[in-house]
Amino acid sequence: MYDLIIIGGGPAGYNAAERAAHNGLKTLLVEKKSLGGVCLNEGCIPTKTLLYSAKIYDYAKYGGDYGVSFQGAEIDHSFVIDRKDKIVKSLVSGIASKLKKAKAEVINGAAFIKGRDENGFNIEVSGRIYSGKYLLICTGSEAVAPPVPGIKEGVADNFCLTNREILSLKEVPGSLAVIGGGVIGLEMASYFNSIGSKVTVIEMLDKIGGYIDGEIADILYKNYVKKGVEFKLGAKVTAIKNNIVVYESGGKVSELKTDKVLVSVGRRASTQNLGLENINVLTERGAIITDDYGRTSAANVYAAGDVNGKSMLAHTAYREGEVCVNNILGIKDRVNYNSVPSVIYTNPEVAGVGETTESVKQKGLAANIHSFSLKYSGRYIAENSSGDGIVKIITEKNTGNIIGLHIIGSYASEIIYGAAMMIGTKMRFEDVQKIVFPHPTVCEVIREGCFMI
Ligand code: NAI
């Protein structure tokens, strides 16, 4: 009999298992594939290894702007893929040893919830029943296949790829069509553009980057147009046939011939074939309904990570898993969804937290919105010959509280946690003025900006 059974060993599940076991709960983690989930095996970490190789290759190609020239720089894509596989392998085994050290038990297999009785929850894995007092569901999400004729056949022919298959592609496609200009689409477009594919992004909306601030999305768009990526905005893919993507824009139907297609039109919670109905866990559009404490509609059943459909980010999943464990331990804890940062690892990087210009308008908030060029930073100028990065600070009119902060430019991914802290702790722009920032850094523009509000 376990205190806690966790289904799914991605960021939500493995982190929760470690915390729970560390705090004395007899914990069982069930994972059907590989520890680390999508993030480690076919998402965040693999893409970052690829993008880092592309960045070095770009440095080699464009070093001339900084007085450094390279002859015959080349990128070996299959080496990059092999290196990625080694990194993933070593991180997966790192998670296994961390869990072992914490004394969390891990079993490999698909879990099915049979029901609950006086012993608690009964979970079947490979024909054996395990019982637990509490249940934490962290089964993550899977790529959505849009209802477009020809997609199924395209996937079967290896012409249409998801985030999983594209990360193992051994050869560089001459041309790549990316359906969906969201986070996955843009990061992959960035990599394949850098290493020489002709990339076309087909996006249904009239802007890229989904929910990111419109002004920042526009700067990112212009950067990638300059790098040679073609965009079809306001364009909806309607069919896939042979080596052709058919899309419709403004009533006009066009065709694009391409070697490969990446389908990146969003993800949906993985709640199928789990047996949720056996314990009355309610879902909405396929995602498990949870409150800010991670509780589901069923007593003693918690859910964390992509499966709740709230944020679909690995770092939110970590926090949600911890919150669930704390509440199980009797320590009241909740997730503050207002200060979750998000990052797109393009070059330039994009990072943001809190309200955007668009969300302020939508919600009718009384706010001040200011944009500052990153050229206020000496370091930014030293390192970016022709950079057009900005930081955008959004403050509440009455209080001066910082409620949104968005950056496009170097180190954005590393800087943004500071802004998450400002928003999470309700700092006013006057408070930020009094903090000493290191010099010379790009993040100094945030402090400088707070004097210009
Ligand atoms: P997404 O939701 O970010 O973007 C999907 C895009 O596809 C949207 O812009 C949508 O308008 C467009 N679209 C939908 N149907 C279309 C059609 N028929 N034709 C053309 N465009 C269409 O989803 P994405 O990129 O697949 O990412 C999935 C999840 O993974 C996201 O929730 C994201 O947060 C997460 N992720 C996070 C990363 C990060 O934090 N850096 C990296 C990669 C993924």
Side-chain angles (χ1 to χ4, degrees), residues 143 151 154-155 157-169 173 176-177 192 259-264:
I151 282 255
V155 169
D157 291 351
N158 209 27
F159 172 56
C160 295
L161 315 167
T162 69
N163 61 295
R164 178 182 305 148
E165 296 84 36
I166 201 160
L167 287 167
S168 299
L169 207 58
L176 175 70
F192 284 97
D259 293 336
K260 291 279 178 201
V261 176
L262 169 66
V263 183
S264 49

Side-chain angles (χ1 to χ4, degrees), residues 47-107:
T47 49
K48 262 73 277 170
T49 68
L50 266 57
L51 287 167
Y52 188 65
S53 293
K55 196 186 255 183
I56 293 177
Y57 184 46
D58 283 344
Y59 281 151
K61 283 189 286 181
Y62 308 116
D65 293 351
Y66 303 89
V68 185
S69 41
F70 295 86
Q71 299 301 322
E74 275 177 23
I75 185 158
D76 179 346
H77 175 67
S78 78
F79 178 95
V80 175
I81 297 291
D82 288 345
R83 177 174 178 270
K84 176 265 298 180
D85 289 339
K86 280 183 202 137
I87 288 170
V88 169
K89 208 170 155 200
S90 90
L91 290 171
V92 169
S93 68
I95 294 173
S97 44
K98 252 175 122 184
L99 289 169
K100 198 170 169 194
K101 204 166 154 207
K103 297 196 169 57
E105 209 178 304
V106 180
I107 53 169

Side-chain angles (χ1 to χ4, degrees), residues 355-367 369 394 403:
E355 304 295 345
T356 60
T357 310
E358 293 73 24
S359 70
V360 159
K361 253 190 223 149
Q362 264 166 24
K363 295 178 188 171
L365 302 176
I369 301 174
I394 303 179
I403 54 170

Side-chain angles (χ1 to χ4, degrees), residues 194-250:
S194 285
I195 69 168
S197 299
K198 171 75 196 121
V199 178
T200 307
V201 177
I202 305 170
E203 167 55 53
M204 207 158 65
L205 304 176
D206 55 10
K207 80 187 253 279
I208 58 168
Y211 51 80
I212 63 171
D213 189 277
E215 188 181 356
I216 301 246
D218 194 45
I219 296 173
L220 185 66
Y221 170 83
K222 286 181 181 138
N223 269 272
Y224 274 91
V225 167
K226 224 189 266 172
K227 287 171 193 259
V229 172
E230 207 167 309
F231 290 94
K232 309 287 179 195
L233 299 185
K236 193 176 173 197
V237 171
T238 52
I240 305 272
K241 44 183 189 186
N242 301 323
N243 276 25
I244 288 170
V245 178
V246 184
Y247 62 93
E248 199 185 305
S249 177

Side-chain angles (χ1 to χ4, degrees), residues 119 267 332 339 358 362 380 393:
N119 289 326
R267 299 183 64 83
K332 202 103 178 131
S339 54
E358 293 73 24
Q362 264 166 24
Y380 184 77
I393 305 176

Side-chain angles (χ1 to χ4, degrees), residues 11-12 38-39 43-44 139-144 183-184 211 265-271 284-288 304-318 320 335 337 340-343:
V38 168
C39 167
C44 323
T139 46
S141 64
E142 56 215 58
V144 167
V183 195
I184 294 181
Y211 51 80
V265 297
R267 299 183 64 83
R268 68 159 165 259
S270 301
T271 48
E284 192 177 16
R285 274 179 281 124
I288 296 180
D306 285 11
V307 76
N308 67 26
K310 284 183 176 171
S311 159
M312 294 233 173
L313 293 167
H315 43 278
T316 312
Y318 284 133
E320 287 173 339
V335 181
Y337 288 100
V340 173
S342 61
V343 176

